[in-house]
Amino acid sequence: MNQENIRLVKGQQVLNLLEDPAFIERLTILFEESVGTTVFQNPIFIKSWYQTKYSEYLPLIAIDEAGFNLNAVVFLAVKKEPNGTIKRHQAKIVGVGEYDAEYQTWLVKEGDDERFLTEAWSLILKDYPNCKIIFRFVPSFNSLSWIYKNSQWKKVSVIQEYHRPLLQMSHPKFKDVMKKRHLKAKYNRFRRAGKMDFEEINEINRFIEVYDEVMVLYDFRQGALFNKTPSESNPLRRSLFISLFRQDLLHVSVLKLDDVITSCIIGMKSKLWMHLSGLITYSPFYSKHSPGLVHLFVLGKYLEEQGFEYFDLSPGGDGYKERMASNADKVYELTISQDPFFKTKIDIRKKFHALLLSRGVRSMDFNLKVKRSKHFIKLKAKDFKNRIVGKKVKLLQESKKPMDLETNNIKHLLLYNDDLGTSRWDFLSNAFKKVEAGEKFISWADDNKLLFCLWFHETIGNSPDNKTALVINEDYYSHPVVAAYKEEVLKTGTSILYSLNR
């Protein structure tokens, strides 16, 4: 391998290469011959991701070729600034896919990693001084072991190990997992709740229909747990998933109860692997039936029947993944930077995560607690400022929005944006808990905000026939802009509830 053969290609030139049939043919051969690769290094995924995310990331590849031979290539992306520019100094460079790809590595024939990467990374660090190169979960340690022997790269690299639970169909413990008492008990309880139906999605229009429906559930849960709504923070993901589905890289299934979707799992697939890396979500209205866990149980059996060898449950330390796993292995996060302060920061984070793990604490749980604490302090400061300033709210005009109350519309809850009351995170968190506990709601919203929400639950009445009664909760929500209509809305909502119970 000669350094003169290694070059960097950027931006539109990368997209042009991926449109060249001859290059794609050579790239596909290299992909199939390389060791430790995954579906996320498949040329189809790479091309789809670059095209979809071009407004947010600058494509960057280091390529080694001699004549017609393609010896090695690593696909990267430089994160763009909000205005679309590239910050050359201290740029963030990620493996292609970033959070849309569970695993990131390079295509190179076995044994050539050190020679290729030494030259490729040198070219990148020269072009982007003090940049941060981040590979999220390299799937094979063999690709990284040489770094420990190379003093030059050991100084600028941090490798962090992560546990990856697997459901391996040929593993001796696979049948034991499928026979676990608590899994079978949840499965049987789910079936007793109504008509159960498992559906693999194979048609594009059906996929789009399902995706749009379940993303509301996904946003609701993510907003409640992490104060994030993926549809807002990653709006291009829908286009990416549609592109990947059309090219047969997604495995999509739903679990239904009485024809209602209770759970959805979207994974990335290759010949023998299905990676739980796209999306897993469930309807909180059915939480007591454990739809997500039952779906994983049913899907595990289904994947075995389809001829898959591995169901990758993905890193994260989640308890439900460990309960479904037959075995596990390790994957590795790689960070490269010549910035001594950044490398020190990553080193400290690595040691701190190891300390937390030794005490039985997931780093994700710890980080979430810190985030919630910061959120609480920020909220109190904002509340104090509003009290001092005396923020005023313009009342809703009668002609602006007719009163249109709906039942159990989660989209309405996601429109909560009252900066004078409870924070959106706290509101969604409380709402999610209420729905999981069996409470229901009626709501009123305009195009961009929740105006009113009245919670209620069902209970057995005192009548001889034990007829179900509806009980209205006192903690209803009313946006300040409809203050003048609060009593009217509350009266109308109560009337609707009573009519539901007749």
Side-chain angles (χ1 to χ4, degrees):
M1 185 175 295
N2 190 324
Q3 182 178 356
E4 294 180 357
N5 297 327
I6 299 177
R7 61 189 175 99
L8 297 183
V9 184
K10 303 177 186 178
Q12 186 60 47
Q13 291 182 330
V14 175
L15 299 184
N16 294 342
L17 265 181
L18 293 172
E19 293 290 348
D20 180 359
F23 178 77
I24 289 295
E25 180 183 352
R26 292 187 294 156
L27 182 62
T28 302
I29 293 172
L30 181 62
F31 169 68
E32 293 172 348
E33 292 180 349
S34 298
V35 178
T37 57
T38 70
V39 64
F40 304 102
Q41 287 73 55
N42 187 315
I44 297 174
F45 175 84
I46 292 169
K47 180 178 177 180
S48 295
W49 193 84
Y50 275 148
Q51 289 176 336
T52 304
K53 297 281 191 168
Y54 193 78
S55 62
E56 298 179 359
Y57 297 85
L58 178 77
L60 171 67
I61 68 174
I63 184 171
D64 176 79
E65 55 188 347
F68 186 78
N69 294 323
L70 184 61
N71 299 318
V73 59
V74 57
F75 290 93
L76 301 159
V78 187
K79 182 70 174 176
K80 294 181 179 179
E81 296 297 297
N83 61 4
T85 61
I86 296 295
K87 183 169 61 174
R88 285 190 63 242
H89 290 268
Q90 298 184 331
K92 179 181 179 182
I93 301 177
V94 298
V96 64
E98 196 180 20
Y99 295 114
D100 295 311
E102 194 71 34
Y103 305 107
Q104 292 149 10
T105 185
W106 34 89
L107 304 181
V108 59
K109 296 178 182 178
E110 188 173 9
D112 283 341
D113 298 75
E114 180 174 2
R115 287 184 294 163
F116 169 64
L117 293 174
T118 294
E119 302 301 341
W121 288 342
S122 296
L123 288 174
I124 293 169
L125 292 173
K126 181 180 179 181
D127 214 26
Y128 295 91
N130 287 332
C131 71
K132 307 164 186 66
I133 305 174
I134 303 170
F135 288 88
R136 180 175 179 261
F137 302 149
V138 178
S140 172
F141 182 74
N142 291 336
S143 303
L144 302 171
S145 58
W146 64 271
I147 292 177
Y148 288 103
K149 305 171 187 177
N150 187 309
S151 59
Q152 174 192 356
W153 293 107
K154 187 177 180 180
K155 288 179 182 179
V156 297
S157 303
V158 179
I159 300 173
Q160 187 165 355
E161 179 183 281
Y162 287 86
H163 173 84
R164 175 172 68 169
L166 299 168
L167 185 60
Q168 184 178 351
M169 285 52 177
S170 63
H171 196 275
K173 291 185 178 180
F174 173 78
K175 292 183 179 180
D176 294 337
V177 171
M178 294 293 106
K179 293 179 181 178
K180 282 186 176 180
R181 183 178 300 177
H182 77 282
L183 290 176
K184 296 193 74 173
K186 289 183 182 296
Y187 171 75
N188 290 330
R189 185 175 67 178
F190 190 93
R191 292 190 64 183
R192 290 193 297 268
K195 177 190 173 186
M196 186 186 86
D197 185 25
F198 173 85
E199 177 189 2
E200 182 183 3
I201 310 299
N202 294 306
E203 197 272 325
I204 184 62
N205 290 332
R206 175 61 174 154
F207 169 70
I208 294 173
E209 176 187 3
V210 166
Y211 182 87
D212 290 340
E213 179 177 343
V214 300
M215 277 306 295
V216 175
L217 303 175
Y218 190 57
D219 281 348
F220 187 32
R221 186 168 183 268
Q222 293 292 305
L225 295 178
F226 308 112
N227 196 28
K228 295 180 179 179
T229 44
S231 291
E232 297 174 8
S233 61
N234 193 359
L236 297 176
R237 201 180 195 200
R238 183 179 185 272
S239 298
L240 175 64
F241 272 16
I242 290 174
S243 173
L244 296 176
F245 185 89
R246 290 184 187 277
Q247 298 175 91
D248 199 31
L249 289 190
L250 295 187
H251 191 289
V252 185
S253 60
V254 295
L255 187 68
K256 297 183 289 187
L257 193 62
D258 295 329
D259 294 324
V260 177
I261 293 177
T262 64
S263 175
C264 177
I265 294 177
I266 300 176
M268 291 285 297
K269 66 179 180 180
S270 57
K271 185 176 181 180
L272 298 177
W273 286 77
M274 206 287 261
H275 302 277
L276 187 63
S277 58
L279 176 151
I280 176 170
T281 192
Y282 64 89
S283 170
F285 292 107
Y286 295 87
S287 290
K288 65 179 180 180
H289 300 303
S290 306
L293 191 59
V294 174
H295 192 166
L296 284 171
F297 178 71
V298 174
L299 182 57
K301 290 184 175 181
Y302 185 74
L303 292 175
E304 180 193 26
E305 294 171 0
Q306 287 192 316
F308 285 87
E309 173 63 19
Y310 296 93
F311 185 8
D312 168 22
L313 301 173
S314 73
D318 302 284
Y320 74 89
K321 295 179 181 179
E322 299 301 328
R323 290 192 291 272
M324 279 295 302
S326 61
N327 54 311
D329 63 4
K330 303 292 183 182
V331 293
Y332 307 86
E333 181 183 76
L334 171 65
T335 304
I336 304 166
S337 180
Q338 295 182 124
D339 181 347
F341 297 102
F342 180 76
K343 185 179 181 300
T344 300
K345 176 183 174 182
I346 298 298
D347 267 323
I348 292 173
R349 186 193 70 176
K350 176 182 175 180
K351 293 175 183 177
F352 184 63
H353 284 183
L355 176 63
L356 290 175
L357 188 61
S358 69
R359 298 187 178 184
V361 179
R362 290 196 313 159
S363 58
M364 182 185 295
D365 294 336
F366 178 84
N367 293 337
L368 187 59
K369 286 183 179 180
V370 172
K371 184 178 178 181
R372 274 197 171 277
S373 298
K374 290 180 178 179
H375 173 77
F376 177 78
I377 294 172
K378 184 178 179 180
L379 182 65
K380 287 298 181 182
K382 188 175 183 180
D383 182 57
F384 178 75
K385 179 181 177 181
N386 285 337
R387 289 169 184 255
I388 296 297
V389 175
K391 192 168 185 177
K392 296 180 179 180
V393 178
K394 184 179 180 181
L395 299 184
L396 188 68
Q397 300 298 318
E398 274 190 78
S399 61
K400 190 170 185 180
K401 178 73 176 176
M403 191 184 303
D404 185 13
L405 296 173
E406 298 185 30
T407 305
N408 296 333
N409 188 339
I410 290 177
K411 290 182 180 179
H412 281 184
L413 300 181
L414 291 169
L415 290 174
Y416 178 90
N417 61 2
D418 181 5
D419 63 354
L420 295 179
T422 303
S423 72
R424 187 169 189 254
W425 192 358
D426 289 333
F427 176 83
L428 292 178
S429 180
N430 291 332
F432 193 84
K433 291 175 183 177
K434 287 177 183 293
V435 174
E436 283 201 310
E439 295 191 26
K440 301 176 182 178
F441 61 94
I442 59 174
S443 55
W444 176 31
D446 64 14
D447 295 334
N448 56 24
K449 59 181 171 292
L450 175 67
L451 299 172
F452 179 82
C453 181
L454 179 65
W455 294 92
F456 65 96
H457 62 275
E458 299 177 347
T459 186
I460 302 298
N462 296 322
S463 59
D465 59 358
N466 288 329
K467 185 178 180 181
T468 300
L470 298 181
V471 179
I472 299 173
N473 296 1
E474 295 182 0
D475 58 339
Y476 66 90
Y477 168 74
S478 178
H479 194 285
V481 301
V482 295
Y485 305 97
K486 182 186 298 185
E487 296 303 322
E488 179 186 351
V489 177
L490 185 59
K491 182 179 178 181
T492 303
T494 303
S495 298
I496 290 176
L497 287 181
Y498 285 142
S499 68
L500 290 175
N501 198 39
R502 289 176 182 172

